[in-house]
Amino acid sequence: MSDEASGQAGGACWAVVLAAGSGERLGIGRPKAFVPLGGQPLLYWSLRAFARHEAVTDLVVVTPPGWDEMLLKEILAAFSEQMGPDAEKIRGAVTGGAKRQASSRLGVEAVRDLRAEGSCAAENQTGVEPVVLVHDAARPLVPLRMIDDLLERLWAPRAVDAKPVGVIPVVPVADTLKEVAWPDEQLAQRAGVGDRRAWEQVGHGSVARTVSRDRLWQAQTPQGFPFGPLLTVHQEAAAQNYLATDEAGLFEWNGWAIETVPGSTANLKVTYPEDLALLAHAMAERV
Ligand code: C5P
C-alpha cells in the first residue's frame, strides 16, 4: 500500500485579504487599501483576482478600524455590479490589529468562526482540510497563474505523517546588497523597516560589506497554508509574543516546511507614493 495521501484538490480554499494597514508611508491620509487605483479602491483588485479564480471558494477581508462598514459596502456594491455571483464568495469582514501579524491572525480566526457557523456554501462535504491564501491588499495585481501554482503545491500528494507545508511565491533579489553602518542606529532601524522620513534623515553611512545574494529571494503574497496548522501557529505566536514578518516565518519558527513557487515581478506592492504611478501604468498595460 502506498504511504502517500491522495491529493486534496477539491477542498475549500479561503483567501484572507489583509487591508488593515494605516498606509502611513504612502502619506495620503487614508488607509492604503482604500487609495484609488484604476477607478477603484486598491483593495478591490485583490478581491476581484481571488473571487474570479474558480478554485477560491470563500473570502474574508481584514479592514482598518472604523473603515470596515461604509467603505467595504461601497467596494462590495461596485464588486457585485461588475462581478455578479463571484461577489458572493466574500463571506465577511473583520477589523484588523495594530500589526500585520495580528490582522492575519484575526482573519484566520474569522475563517474558523465562519466555518463553525456552517454558513459557507463552498465549504464542501469532502472532509478535506481547507487551505488558506493570505494576501496583502497592497499587491493588487496578483497573477491568477500564481494562485494555480500555490494550490498545486498545497494540494500535492504528501506522506500521511508529513509535517504541515506552506507555500510562498519568491523572486530573486535583483540589486546588490550592502550591509551599512549608520551614525544613528535607531534612525537607521526605523529606515530599515521602510520609514521614509527616517531614511531621509539617516545621514551618511559607510559600507561594512557586500552581502551575497546568491541564495536570497524576496517573498511575496499570496502565501498558502493548510487551515488548521496556520490557525495553531498564529495562536501560539500570539501567546508567546513572537513576531515574524510573514506567515511563512511563523511556520519556520514552528519547524514546519515552506516550499516556494515562482513569484512575479508584476506582483508589485504599494508602499511609497511613486509605487501608485507604477501600478497604474502596469494596470493600463494589462487591460
Ligand atoms: O505595511 P505593509 O505594506 O507591510 O502592509 C502589508 C499588508 O498588510 C497591507 O495590505 C496592509 O493593509 C496589511 N496590514 C494589515 N494590518 C496591519 C498592517 C498591515 O492588514 N496592522
Side-chain angles (χ1 to χ4, degrees):
M1 212 166 81
S2 157
D3 66 346
E4 288 211 324
S6 61
Q8 300 195 331
C13 171
W14 286 78
V16 172
V17 178
L18 303 180
S22 65
E24 224 170 277
R25 288 175 277 172
L26 213 49
I28 49 176
R30 70 166 85 179
K32 193 184 335 192
F34 300 103
V35 166
L37 181 78
Q40 295 288 351
L42 192 63
L43 168 62
Y44 170 87
W45 299 107
S46 300
L47 293 180
R48 190 175 90 137
F50 285 101
R52 270 181 157 185
H53 195 288
E54 59 178 18
V56 175
T57 52
D58 307 83
L59 277 107
V60 164
V61 192
V62 186
T63 59
W67 284 78
D68 33 357
E69 288 290 310
M70 181 192 73
L71 273 166
L72 198 59
K73 266 188 205 141
E74 273 178 28
I75 292 174
L76 291 189
F79 196 76
S80 307
E81 219 170 85
Q82 290 168 32
M83 297 294 297
D86 282 343
E88 288 162 25
K89 291 182 180 177
I90 302 174
R91 305 290 169 212
V94 61
T95 301
K99 296 234 184 244
R100 184 188 175 283
Q101 185 168 313
S103 297
S104 174
R105 176 177 48 78
L106 290 162
V108 177
E109 286 173 351
V111 171
R112 174 200 60 197
D113 297 345
L114 286 159
R115 292 185 68 219
E117 278 172 25
S119 59
C120 311
E123 183 81 45
N124 58 31
Q125 309 304 314
T126 58
V128 163
E129 164 113 72
V131 294
V132 181
L133 303 175
V134 182
H135 183 63
D136 290 345
R139 293 187 192 268
L141 298 182
V142 49
L144 294 184
R145 186 269 306 157
M146 198 181 286
I147 299 177
D148 290 339
D149 289 353
L150 290 165
L151 290 177
E152 194 190 318
R153 294 310 310 149
L154 283 169
W155 282 330
R158 298 192 188 276
V160 185
D161 57 356
K163 284 182 183 173
V165 176
V167 189
I168 66 170
V170 292
V171 292
V173 173
D175 296 323
T176 297
L177 299 176
K178 304 287 182 191
E179 190 179 308
V180 180
W182 300 101
D184 184 333
E185 191 50 42
Q186 261 187 340
L187 210 53
Q189 260 177 21
R190 275 175 38 217
V193 293
D195 180 332
R196 182 69 161 257
R197 229 169 303 159
W199 177 12
E200 277 154 11
Q201 290 166 15
V202 87
H204 299 283
S206 55
V207 170
R209 63 187 182 108
T210 297
V211 179
S212 166
R213 65 178 188 214
D214 281 0
R215 300 173 55 155
L216 296 184
W217 294 71
Q218 291 175 206
Q220 298 185 331
T221 69
Q223 302 196 344
F225 308 90
F227 165 72
L230 180 60
L231 178 64
T232 302
V233 80
H234 253 313
Q235 292 184 326
E236 275 177 22
Q240 294 185 39
N241 283 324
Y242 179 77
L243 212 53
T245 46
D246 63 1
E247 289 70 34
L250 298 178
F251 257 52
E252 293 158 41
W253 172 65
N254 212 37
W256 291 341
I258 296 295
E259 289 185 358
T260 59
V261 294
S264 166
T265 49
N267 188 19
L268 297 165
K269 182 174 172 205
V270 179
T271 305
Y272 301 113
E274 56 269 32
D275 298 334
L276 283 170
L278 271 177
L279 266 167
H281 182 72
M283 213 167 224
E285 295 269 292
R286 221 165 65 149
V287 172

